[in-house]
Amino acid sequence: MLAALLILGVLPASLCKAVVPDEELPAPASSLADLRLQLREEVVTLREEMIELMGPAALLTLSWAVRDLAEEVKGCKVLLEQQGQQLKKLEQQLLAKSDLIREEVKEEIGAVRTRLNSTRDEVRLISQHKLTWQNKTYAGKYYSDFAVDGVYRLTHDEDGMNPIAHTADGAGPNQVIMIHLGGIFKLHTVKLWKRTNTCCGARYLGLHVYAQDENRTTLIGVLSDVKLLYTLRVPQDVFASTVYVKTYKSQSVNLLEFQVFGSGPFARSEI
C-alpha cells in the first residue's frame, strides 16, 4: 500500500517512516487467516493515520489518482485493440497479395515450361559445333571438329574453305569419328556428307553408324553404296548422348560433314 502511494506521488518517502516506524512493524503472521486479518487492521490504521496527518482530502486525491490511472490503462487497452485490428487487416492484405503473387509466378513458370517443352520437342540440328573425337588425325590437320563445323560446300577445296575430318591412313581397323552431344537427346535423323574427292568412295562402304548412352549402344545403319549424302532415319525412341561412325576395315574414315538431328535434351529419369 505504501509502495503504491509512493509511486503515485501522494505520500512522500519521508512520511512513510513516520507512518510505520521500523520498530513498530508487525510480527509475522502464523497463518493465512491471521495474515489477512493483520493486513486489514493495518489498512484501517493507515487510513486513520493518513486522515489524521493529511486530512480527508488525501483519500480523495488518492481516489482521483487511481481513477486517472485506470482511465489511462483503459485508453492503452483501446489503442492496443485498434492496433491489433489494423495488424490483422494488414496480415489479411499481405496473405491475399502473396496468394496473388504465387498464382502469377505459377502461371509464369507454366508458360516458361511450355515454351521450353516446345523448343525441346522440336526436331533440329543438335550436333553442330559439339565436341568431337577421332582415333588419329591424318597429316596432323584434318581434325574431327571439321565434321561439325557447318561447312559442307560441294566444291573440291579440302585444304581451304571446305575442310574434311580424316583419320590416319594405315592405322588399322576400328577407326572412329565421334560426336558428344552434350546431353541426352532423342535422335531422329543422321546425315553423312561424303567428301567431294572421287578418290575414296569405297571407304564409305560398310561404315557403321551407332548411337550410345552409357552402356546402351544402338546400330542406326550401315552404308552400302557411294553417294554425296547419306540420310539415315533413326529407329523410334532412341536416346543417346554420343553418335559415332566406325569402320571395321583397315582403312581410314573421312567425312565432309557429320550431322545429327533430334530433340531434347532430356533428363535420364524421362527416358
Side-chain angles (χ1 to χ4, degrees):
M1 188 69 175
L2 290 176
L5 294 176
L6 283 170
I7 294 172
L8 295 173
V10 176
L11 190 62
S14 59
L15 192 58
C16 292
K17 293 185 178 180
V19 174
V20 184
D22 294 339
E23 60 272 11
E24 295 182 8
L25 290 176
S30 58
S31 66
L32 184 60
D34 292 341
L35 179 60
R36 187 177 301 168
L37 178 60
Q38 184 175 328
L39 288 175
R40 187 177 300 170
E41 291 176 353
E42 290 294 332
V43 170
V44 172
T45 302
L46 178 61
R47 178 186 177 91
E48 292 175 351
E49 291 178 353
M50 286 184 63
I51 294 175
E52 181 180 351
L53 292 172
M54 303 180 64
L59 292 180
L60 183 60
T61 302
L62 178 62
S63 175
W64 278 106
V66 172
R67 185 178 302 176
D68 291 343
L69 181 60
E71 289 296 329
E72 186 176 350
V73 171
K74 184 177 179 181
C76 291
K77 181 180 179 182
V78 173
L79 180 60
L80 288 175
E81 289 177 352
Q82 293 175 350
Q83 291 178 346
Q85 293 174 358
Q86 292 176 355
L87 287 175
K88 186 174 181 180
K89 185 178 180 180
L90 180 60
E91 181 182 4
Q92 293 174 349
Q93 293 175 349
L94 289 175
L95 287 175
K97 191 170 183 179
S98 65
D99 291 338
L100 179 61
I101 293 174
R102 188 181 297 110
E103 290 300 323
E104 291 177 352
V105 170
K106 188 182 297 184
E107 291 178 3
E108 185 64 26
I109 291 175
V112 171
R113 183 177 289 114
T114 299
R115 291 195 295 270
L116 287 175
N117 287 336
S118 298
T119 302
R120 189 176 71 165
D121 293 339
E122 178 187 8
V123 175
R124 62 195 187 280
L125 179 62
I126 59 175
S127 58
Q128 189 164 308
H129 300 306
K130 296 295 179 68
L131 296 176
T132 62
W133 178 86
Q134 63 188 21
N135 303 67
K136 291 184 179 181
T137 300
Y138 176 70
K141 63 178 182 179
Y142 296 98
Y143 302 107
S144 58
D145 290 342
F146 291 139
V148 293
D149 62 358
V151 180
Y152 42 101
R153 304 163 60 206
L154 298 181
T155 58
H156 182 55
D157 188 17
E158 296 176 353
D159 292 321
M161 297 300 295
N162 202 31
I164 64 172
H166 196 316
T167 62
D169 289 335
N174 301 319
Q175 298 294 298
V176 171
I177 296 178
M178 179 180 295
I179 303 174
H180 298 282
L181 298 175
I184 302 174
F185 290 84
K186 183 178 180 181
L187 305 187
H188 183 271
T189 304
V190 174
K191 291 186 177 183
L192 300 176
W193 293 81
K194 175 186 170 296
R195 61 187 293 192
T196 56
N197 194 326
T198 59
C199 70
C200 312
R203 296 178 182 177
Y204 293 87
L205 298 176
L207 279 180
H208 288 60
V209 183
Y210 293 97
Q212 185 174 22
D213 179 51
E214 290 191 335
N215 297 324
R216 180 176 53 190
T217 301
T218 302
L219 176 64
I220 296 176
V222 181
L223 306 189
S224 58
D225 56 357
V226 180
K227 53 186 178 181
L228 286 176
L229 174 62
Y230 300 88
T231 300
L232 305 175
R233 291 296 303 270
V234 180
Q236 188 176 9
D237 295 334
V238 173
F239 293 84
S241 57
T242 302
V243 182
Y244 62 93
V245 174
K246 181 175 183 178
T247 179
Y248 291 95
K249 302 176 182 179
S250 294
Q251 62 185 26
S252 62
V253 177
N254 25 97
L255 296 172
L256 176 59
E257 195 74 12
F258 188 177
Q259 296 176 318
V260 181
F261 295 82
S263 58
F266 295 91
R268 193 166 300 282
S269 59
E270 297 179 284
I271 64 176

